[in-house]
Amino acid sequence: MRDAPRCHIHIEEISKLYCETCNNLPVCIACTYGEHKGHNLHEVKALAKLKREELTKQLNAVGEIEKDKKPISSSQVKEQLILNVSIEKEKVIKMHDEKDQKIMKKIRDIEGRRQQVKQEEQNAEKKMCDSLRKEKEKEIEEIKKKYDEILKVKKIEINDSFLAREKSLKNELTKLRQKRERFHQDKKELLKSIETQLNENVKIIEAMSEHYDNIKRRFETLNVMASSILASENDWSAVQCIPDICTAATNLMKYLRKDFPELSTLTDVTVNYKQYSLGRPNVTTISDQVKKKITIKDPYRFVFGMTSGCDGNIVISGITSDLEATFIIVIDMNGRMLKEKILNTGMHWLWRDCKVLSQYKVASVCEPNEIGLYDVRDGSYIKKNISDVISSWPTDRYVRCVATYPAKNHILVGGFDSRDVYVFDDQLNYLHILTLPYIIKSPHDITVSDGHLLVCDYEGNKCYVTTMDGLESKLVGEFMERNVEGIIFVPISVCSDKNGFVYVLWKNNAQCPEQYYLVQYNHDDSQGLTTRKLEGDAEVVTAVETSQGEKLLVATHQKRTVYFYDLITED
């Protein structure tokens, strides 16, 4: 810097000093009282003198060292280096050539020995193969003969097996074709029946229309005549004509009372569909272990009923912890509460059961004689007292269980200590009574499966299958009762899966602690297929279709726990 620099802070001032503390920054006099107060400051001339002295000392030191060194020609050093490199390269090449010759000699020796070993190996192998071939030639021939014989027999067995399967498939195909023919014939008959109903109903509707047109014309004529007589105020005409007009009116009233079906019924078409089976039903097995369990929290204390709801949810019914009210709740597969309905009855310890009727409707019964429909969409509930609908309902009879027949939109109600099952439609209108066979004492639980009624007879220690046609139910079969080491078990709940397999929940009748077993039965076989010993105080079993497949659910009575089992379907 030839000119005096400006202060690095006060640029309008010429710097007078240098701050050694701040790496020789130029500063003015004002800075000595400000930011650089207390720093190591030097006047520029003094600092320059000091630095020149330091540089002179450094240069003198370097010169002394340089005097001690003898001058060496760089060209001489380079020549000597090249000579030394050449000598060393010759030594390295000579040494490695000698070693390479020795190694190559050993390699040739080893390769020769390898060829010799390989030749000896080939000779030994050839000798061994020749020896074995000679020794085993006869044995090989015998094995070939046996192989050919076995192969021939196996081919015959395979052919016979496939012939049998072909014959079985051919028979099954013939039966299916026959069923198809019957199906087409039934289709024609059903269409003919529908057409006949159409023609008959059209004739009735036309007759009704003609009848009412005739009535209308007669009424108009009668009305004109009566109005004319009344308007004339002629006593002689009134005396002579009014009796005839009254007689005509009486006859018209009789004509009006002619019985015709309700117009709404003429729009109904009754089709008696038949059930068809296309072969052996699928096989359903229960998973070995509980896949999941959920617990229902208070106040829903005691569980009596459980059924499926829409979208794979679960509907559960029972009584609250104070025993003064009943409940109907909807939960999802993880136990999360979706809907709840608390029903105050003013009575103590009431039994409430439920069964699904349609996608959104659940039928429910509650002691003493209540029947109702619960809507899972909005939680609404409509109900009736059966004693108000049926005059023959005994005053001491309590409802115990409910079943639904979705194919006919029927609701079936079983009463305690009674063989009568009361049938209602989906509007809670009473239809008729279905009387169970005399062998059944009291239904504890009922359900509809494949057009039959499954009945848990608690008092009789049996589970039965009965018909549902007509007013008198007939016994079709029974499921083998559960008997473990002489302990009698009673059936308390029954359901079926989509393939028609039946599941009965059995409870020991007089044993402490209580034991519970779940038994799976075939469609038409009373012997149990699978048996599971259950945890807790099991109360009800039901099958629920979910997005992950069909599940079998078991709910406990007091512990409010629902156990999930997978139902595995095999072709």
Side-chain angles (χ1 to χ4, degrees):
M1 294 179 294
R2 296 179 181 177
D3 299 329
R6 300 281 180 174
C7 177
H8 76 100
I9 294 176
H10 307 93
I11 58 175
E12 73 279 2
E13 296 290 335
I14 299 296
S15 59
K16 302 296 183 181
L17 302 171
Y18 277 95
C19 182
E20 187 178 13
T21 304
C22 297
N23 199 18
N24 292 340
L25 279 176
V27 296
C28 65
I29 298 299
C31 288
T32 61
Y33 300 97
E35 292 188 8
H36 295 273
K37 184 178 180 180
H39 289 192
N40 191 8
L41 301 173
H42 295 277
E43 195 271 330
V44 64
K45 291 183 177 180
L47 181 61
K49 181 181 179 182
L50 178 64
K51 295 301 178 184
R52 289 190 186 98
E53 292 175 354
E54 289 179 358
L55 178 58
T56 302
K57 290 179 181 180
Q58 287 288 92
L59 292 175
N60 293 333
V62 171
E64 290 297 327
I65 295 172
E66 193 272 338
K67 290 178 182 179
D68 294 337
K69 300 294 183 179
K70 294 180 180 180
I72 299 175
S73 173
S74 60
S75 59
Q76 292 177 355
V77 173
K78 186 176 179 181
E79 289 176 359
Q80 186 63 42
L81 174 63
I82 293 172
L83 178 62
N84 293 340
V85 167
S86 175
I87 294 171
E88 292 300 323
K89 284 174 67 176
E90 289 179 358
K91 288 181 181 179
V92 168
I93 292 171
K94 182 178 180 182
M95 179 184 68
H96 280 81
D97 287 346
E98 292 176 354
K99 288 185 177 180
D100 185 62
Q101 290 177 3
K102 292 179 180 179
I103 291 171
M104 288 301 299
K105 182 179 179 182
K106 288 185 178 181
I107 288 174
R108 287 192 292 271
D109 292 343
I110 292 173
E111 286 181 347
R113 287 157 57 190
R114 281 185 63 204
Q115 291 294 332
Q116 183 179 356
V117 169
K118 189 173 182 179
Q119 186 64 42
E120 290 177 356
E121 179 186 5
Q122 291 176 351
N123 294 337
E125 184 177 349
K126 185 174 181 299
K127 184 177 180 180
M128 178 196 66
C129 291
D130 293 341
S131 176
L132 287 175
R133 188 179 296 108
K134 291 179 181 178
E135 291 177 1
K136 302 297 181 180
E137 189 173 9
K138 185 177 180 181
E139 188 175 339
I140 291 171
E141 289 297 325
E142 292 177 356
I143 291 173
K144 283 184 178 180
K145 290 180 180 179
K146 289 182 180 179
Y147 171 79
D148 292 339
E149 292 174 358
I150 293 171
L151 184 61
K152 185 177 180 181
V153 172
K154 291 296 181 181
K155 283 184 178 180
I156 294 173
E157 290 177 355
I158 292 172
N159 290 335
D160 291 343
S161 173
F162 277 92
L163 285 174
R165 291 174 63 184
E166 172 67 20
K167 184 177 179 181
S168 174
L169 291 173
K170 186 177 180 181
N171 292 336
E172 188 174 351
L173 186 61
T174 302
K175 290 179 181 178
L176 287 174
R177 285 173 176 167
Q178 292 173 352
K179 287 182 180 180
R180 187 168 180 267
E181 290 296 327
R182 289 199 300 272
F183 176 75
H184 286 303
Q185 185 62 33
D186 291 338
K187 176 184 175 183
K188 292 179 182 178
E189 292 177 1
L190 290 175
L191 293 175
K192 184 178 179 181
S193 172
I194 294 172
E195 191 67 28
T196 301
Q197 292 181 60
L198 171 65
N199 295 332
E200 291 176 353
N201 289 359
V202 167
K203 289 180 181 178
I204 295 172
I205 292 171
E206 290 175 350
M208 290 176 64
S209 178
E210 183 179 354
H211 173 72
Y212 288 123
D213 288 343
N214 189 20
I215 289 174
K216 183 180 179 181
R217 288 192 299 270
R218 289 175 63 178
F219 175 75
E220 289 173 351
T221 302
L222 181 67
N223 193 40
V224 170
M225 292 175 63
S227 299
S228 177
I229 294 297
L230 294 174
S232 68
E233 297 183 357
N234 188 308
D235 294 338
W236 287 103
S237 297
V239 170
Q240 288 179 342
C241 297
I242 286 177
D244 293 335
I245 293 174
C246 290
T247 301
T250 302
N251 292 334
L252 183 59
M253 290 174 65
K254 290 181 181 178
Y255 197 55
L256 279 168
R257 292 191 178 98
K258 183 178 180 181
D259 290 333
F260 278 95
E262 293 288 338
L263 281 174
S264 60
T265 62
L266 295 176
T267 61
D268 295 335
V269 178
T270 303
V271 183
N272 296 320
Y273 291 102
K274 295 184 179 181
Q275 298 293 329
Y276 297 93
S277 173
L278 298 181
R280 181 179 63 85
N282 292 335
V283 176
T284 303
T285 58
I286 310 174
S287 59
D288 294 333
Q289 302 293 332
V290 175
K291 294 300 179 181
K292 181 172 62 174
K293 67 178 181 178
I294 58 176
T295 300
I296 307 166
K297 298 181 180 179
D298 278 337
Y300 315 108
R301 182 65 182 276
F302 296 98
V303 174
F304 289 115
M306 178 174 62
T307 188
S308 60
C310 66
D311 300 328
N313 296 321
I314 311 165
V315 180
I316 297 176
S317 62
I319 60 176
T320 56
S321 55
D322 58 8
L323 309 182
E324 297 295 336
T326 63
F327 67 84
I328 301 175
I329 61 173
V330 182
I331 62 175
D332 62 15
M333 300 298 285
N334 295 316
R336 185 169 61 93
M337 185 72 62
L338 303 178
K339 291 282 189 307
E340 60 178 341
K341 188 76 173 180
I342 303 297
L343 301 162
N344 296 312
T345 59
M347 300 182 67
H348 186 74
W349 190 268
L350 297 178
W351 186 289
R352 180 175 289 279
D353 193 14
C354 62
K355 289 288 192 324
V356 63
L357 176 63
S358 62
Q359 184 180 6
Y360 300 112
K361 294 296 180 68
V362 173
S364 178
V365 294
C366 182
E367 295 175 332
N369 56 44
E370 177 190 309
I371 180 173
L373 283 175
Y374 178 77
D375 194 317
V376 298
R377 292 170 296 185
D378 56 12
S380 61
Y381 182 70
I382 58 173
K383 65 178 181 177
K384 288 182 179 180
N385 287 329
I386 299 177
S387 58
D388 296 338
V389 179
I390 305 174
S391 57
S392 61
W393 180 269
T395 56
D396 60 346
R397 179 161 298 168
Y398 280 23
V399 296
R400 171 53 53 139
C401 51
V402 64
T404 56
Y405 194 2
K408 293 187 176 182
N409 288 327
H410 284 177
I411 303 171
L412 296 87
V413 179
F416 180 74
D417 198 20
S418 171
R419 293 191 296 114
D420 291 337
V421 175
Y422 298 84
V423 183
F424 296 80
D425 65 14
D426 58 351
Q427 302 300 316
L428 303 183
N429 298 315
Y430 169 67
L431 300 178
H432 61 84
I433 293 177
L434 176 66
T435 303
L436 299 175
Y438 71 92
I439 194 172
I440 298 176
K441 297 179 181 180
S442 177
H444 187 84
D445 187 30
I446 56 177
T447 193
V448 176
S449 176
D450 195 23
H452 291 85
L453 187 64
L454 308 180
V455 183
C456 287
D457 185 6
Y458 188 90
E459 299 296 329
N461 303 335
K462 297 288 183 72
C463 187
Y464 297 100
V465 185
T466 70
T467 62
M468 297 177 59
D469 300 327
L471 303 180
E472 293 286 337
S473 179
K474 297 180 181 179
L475 187 67
V476 176
E478 66 179 68
F479 298 109
M480 190 67 66
E481 67 270 21
R482 183 71 188 167
N483 190 323
V484 179
E485 298 178 355
I487 302 172
I488 301 299
F489 283 72
V490 295
I492 59 175
S493 183
V494 61
C495 74
S496 63
D497 62 22
K498 63 183 179 183
N499 291 322
F501 287 89
V502 178
Y503 304 87
V504 181
L505 184 59
W506 297 87
K507 170 187 175 182
N508 63 358
N509 202 18
Q511 186 76 11
C512 186
E514 295 176 335
Q515 296 178 358
Y516 297 85
Y517 284 90
L518 177 65
V519 183
Q520 179 196 41
Y521 298 90
N522 204 344
H523 316 265
D524 52 3
D525 189 0
S526 63
Q527 297 293 331
L529 300 177
T530 307
T531 301
R532 294 278 185 275
K533 188 175 181 180
L534 302 178
E535 303 177 23
D537 53 338
E539 178 66 28
V540 61
V541 60
T542 190
V544 176
E545 185 68 29
T546 71
S547 58
Q548 290 80 35
E550 195 171 20
K551 309 288 183 183
L552 194 67
L553 277 59
V554 178
T556 60
H557 172 56
Q558 188 170 353
K559 295 183 178 180
R560 310 176 312 282
T561 303
V562 181
Y563 296 89
F564 292 74
Y565 294 88
D566 285 339
L567 288 180
I568 304 167
T569 300
E570 302 174 0
D571 294 333

